[in-house]
Amino acid sequence: MEPNTTTEPGARPLWLPLLRVATGASLAALLWEFLTAGQLITFNAAALPLHYWGAVAVHVATGAQLATALLVWRLPGAGSPSGPAHDRRVALVSLLAFVLAFPQAALGSNGPLQAHVPMALLLVAVVVWAVLLVWRRLDPR
């Protein structure tokens, strides 16, 4: 018997809205990072702790995004109407975002900004890709 992941028969699984929230949180954390990075570029040293904790938020948010995407992909009855191939793609893109966040943050602490900033843009592109996949509706019904 499949676990009850819906509020009523025929309703969408509850994991899909949670995945949308998780991808939105990843995007919001990255927006925070851009705002605080702008302050650092203007030599506002008070923004450094805010940027640091924003990086922690990016790791937490992309980790939650990955965990939720894996649940949607692997739990029986939790998949999206788009099918398992779409759910697997969302999980792989979420994994890429989670993995990219670590070297990107490390380059910000110990590396050249010439590498940190382009990796930040790549990370944003991957998270936006995940958001688009999650919000895209391919309901076969």
Side-chain angles (χ1 to χ4, degrees):
M1 183 171 212
E2 292 184 9
N4 184 8
T5 58
T6 60
T7 55
E8 60 188 45
R12 291 205 183 282
L14 292 175
W15 290 110
L16 294 176
L18 289 176
L19 181 55
R20 288 179 172 176
V21 168
T23 56
S26 295
L27 206 53
L30 288 169
L31 176 61
W32 175 261
E33 286 296 85
F34 273 96
L35 293 172
T36 57
Q39 290 297 307
L40 291 172
I41 289 173
T42 62
F43 302 106
N44 180 0
L48 190 57
L50 299 174
H51 195 67
Y52 171 83
W53 287 107
V56 172
V58 168
H59 294 310
V60 170
T62 57
Q65 174 184 325
L66 174 59
T68 310
L70 289 172
L71 287 172
V72 168
W73 177 37
R74 300 306 294 169
L75 277 182
S80 72
S82 302
H86 180 265
D87 295 339
R88 182 179 58 244
R89 186 176 307 116
V90 172
L92 289 172
V93 171
S94 296
L95 174 64
L96 180 60
F98 181 69
V99 169
L100 272 175
F102 287 95
Q104 193 276 331
L107 285 170
S109 298
N110 302 313
L113 287 180
Q114 293 87 347
H116 176 69
V117 173
M119 272 197 87
L121 295 174
L122 177 61
L123 179 58
V124 169
V126 171
V127 169
V128 166
W129 184 14
V131 168
L132 292 174
L133 286 172
V134 169
W135 282 91
R136 184 173 69 173
R137 294 176 82 102
L138 297 175
D139 197 344
R141 291 183 269 162

